[in-house]
Amino acid sequence: MKKYPSLAIVAAAALALSACGKSDDASEAAEEDTVEMPADELPAMEPSAAAPAPAPVVDASAAADAEADAVRDTANSAAAVAAAAQAAAAEGEGDEAPAQ
């Protein structure tokens, strides 16, 4: 009794695989879709205008300078914020009324 379900599964798999092939005539010989050519026989082709442009060459010293500038700008901004905070704190200390 256990053989019938496994036999049905095998039969269904065989039918599914046979349905995947596409051939109008079973006597036709299979043909390749692609043809390989030796590299020396390939026609010479110019680069296409639609081809992507090569990546720009980045100067390492320019990249290092840009990174140093970014770090310097960040440090200057942090110093400005700290100075503003100190100024605000100094203003707040002078406005306090004496405790009674």
Side-chain angles (χ1 to χ4, degrees), residues 12-99:
L15 288 174
L17 287 176
S18 66
C20 291
K22 179 185 175 192
S23 178
D24 295 334
D25 186 11
S27 63
E28 286 182 15
E31 293 179 14
E32 287 189 36
D33 291 339
T34 59
V35 178
E36 294 182 14
M37 294 178 62
D40 57 341
E41 293 181 11
L42 291 175
M45 296 177 56
E46 293 186 25
S48 173
V57 177
V58 178
D59 185 16
S61 63
D65 290 342
E67 186 175 342
D69 288 342
V71 170
R72 190 176 307 112
D73 290 343
T74 303
N76 289 339
S77 296
V81 169
Q86 286 179 347
E91 283 182 19
E93 287 177 4
D95 293 340
E96 291 179 12

